[in-house]
Amino acid sequence: STNHVQMKVEFTHQSFQEEHAMVSLDLSQQILDLSRITEFLRHSQLVTLNLSRTSLTPRDANLLFQSLPYSLEHLILANNQLGDQGIADLLSAKFLFRLKTLDLSNNGITSEGALLLSHHLISKSNSLKRLDISNNFIGAEGIKSVAMSLTSTSKSLMQLHLQGNHGELSPSSKECLLNMLGENSHLRELSHNVQEPEYEAQIEYYLNMNRYGRFLLKSYDLNMALWPGILAKAASLQPSLLHALVNGRPDIFTPSNLDQ
């Protein structure tokens, strides 16, 4: 075995003995033998696990989730049949708050599952960087609950994928997304269903500010009206350099200088 391997594995007795050193394992599109896999997982040091297209149902998922190692950081569960009950089982697992990536796309999740994720993971996790809940059935209410959980107190999530969820976004859910972006200075990528140029431009405006370091500007007593100008000037700078400039040379970012 190597210290880092990504491969398809047929679980035999020998492979259990040999593969404990793996950190990345791809079991996608395989028929899972749950008794053998859970035995393996309990003693593994996996960092990345891909279980997409394995026909996981809520009945199977509970046992599997309770067996996942604390070392796990990236979990791909796309294209299964977890539904809202599977989400509830996932949220009871002890490893959950170490996750950096969680892919739950195309799992039959409704607004109830989105509400569970919002209350028990998104608003509480300090590690999650990427969440994919695209191509589900969370609807306008589910998107509202996700948006409301991503306030300024949520400082880890950088990528959120919501596209392909059935049903049109309501005016209130679209407003919730914009309000969230007005407060959240860490989210850098957001995919959604809305195809309205003006709305998309507003979303991209906030995301661009986040990419260029808006979270740094929130640390200083600078008029928010100046932020777009500051970030436009600093677009090519590394965040650390922007931090140094704002801290050491605030005169650079006066309205008169920004207009030049």
Side-chain angles (χ1 to χ4, degrees):
S1 295
T2 61
N3 287 329
H4 186 90
V5 58
Q6 184 168 359
M7 59 184 294
K8 306 267 185 185
V9 173
E10 293 295 333
F11 277 95
T12 63
H13 178 75
Q14 182 179 6
S15 72
F16 275 129
Q17 300 300 316
E18 294 178 349
E19 302 302 340
H20 287 315
M22 280 197 217
V23 296
S24 183
L25 177 62
D26 184 352
L27 292 174
S28 59
Q29 303 185 63
Q30 292 201 40
I31 298 174
L32 302 181
D33 182 336
L34 284 177
S35 62
R36 288 186 174 273
I37 291 172
T38 52
E39 178 188 343
F40 168 79
L41 290 172
R42 287 191 189 100
H43 300 95
S44 76
Q45 294 296 317
L46 286 179
V47 175
T48 300
L49 177 61
N50 186 347
L51 294 172
S52 61
R53 296 186 186 278
T54 52
S55 301
L56 271 179
T57 65
R59 184 180 61 182
D60 305 325
N62 190 32
L63 177 63
L64 181 67
F65 293 155
Q66 299 305 321
S67 304
L68 292 175
Y70 284 101
S71 55
L72 197 65
E73 296 181 0
H74 309 283
L75 180 59
I76 304 167
L77 296 166
N79 301 297
N80 282 299
Q81 304 160 30
L82 293 176
D84 297 334
Q85 182 57 53
I87 298 304
D89 292 336
L90 173 66
L91 292 170
S92 70
K94 296 178 181 178
F95 75 92
L96 193 65
F97 290 99
R98 290 180 57 89
L99 278 185
K100 295 181 179 178
T101 301
L102 179 59
D103 186 345
L104 293 166
S105 57
N106 194 24
N107 263 285
I109 302 166
T110 73
S111 58
E112 181 181 344
L115 185 63
L116 290 171
L117 285 167
S118 301
H119 286 179
H120 300 289
L121 177 62
I122 299 172
S123 62
K124 295 181 179 180
S125 175
N126 292 317
S127 61
L128 192 65
K129 304 292 185 187
R130 181 180 185 274
L131 176 64
D132 191 337
I133 47 176
S134 61
N135 299 306
N136 281 292
F137 300 89
I138 69 174
E141 289 305 306
I143 287 175
K144 279 179 68 175
S145 66
V146 170
M148 291 173 69
S149 70
L150 278 169
T151 62
S152 56
T153 58
S154 179
K155 297 180 179 178
S156 66
L157 198 68
M158 292 185 175
Q159 298 180 35
L160 175 62
H161 299 281
L162 299 170
Q163 78 277 11
N165 276 286
H166 295 263
E168 294 293 323
L169 285 185
S170 65
S172 61
S173 61
K174 289 192 288 186
E175 183 179 1
C176 271
L177 278 178
L178 281 180
N179 289 341
M180 174 272 291
L181 284 171
E183 296 185 36
N184 185 302
S185 57
H186 292 267
L187 196 66
R188 299 182 181 186
E189 184 176 333
L190 173 64
S191 58
H192 53 86
N193 281 351
V194 183
Q195 296 182 337
E196 300 171 7
E198 184 176 345
Y199 184 82
E200 290 179 279
Q202 289 178 292
I203 293 283
E204 192 61 22
Y205 165 78
Y206 285 118
L207 294 176
N208 270 329
M209 285 214 298
N210 289 353
R211 292 174 191 131
Y212 297 141
R214 178 165 59 131
F215 72 98
L216 293 172
L217 301 183
K218 294 184 77 169
S219 304
Y220 296 92
D221 187 20
L222 290 170
N223 188 328
M224 288 182 64
L226 301 180
W227 289 8
I230 293 173
L231 293 166
K233 274 190 174 290
S236 61
L237 302 181
Q238 294 296 322
S240 59
L241 182 53
L242 174 60
H243 178 86
L245 283 173
V246 176
N247 189 37
R249 289 290 310 280
D251 57 293
I252 293 176
F253 302 114
T254 61
S256 58
N257 284 335
L258 290 173
D259 288 338
Q260 293 176 6

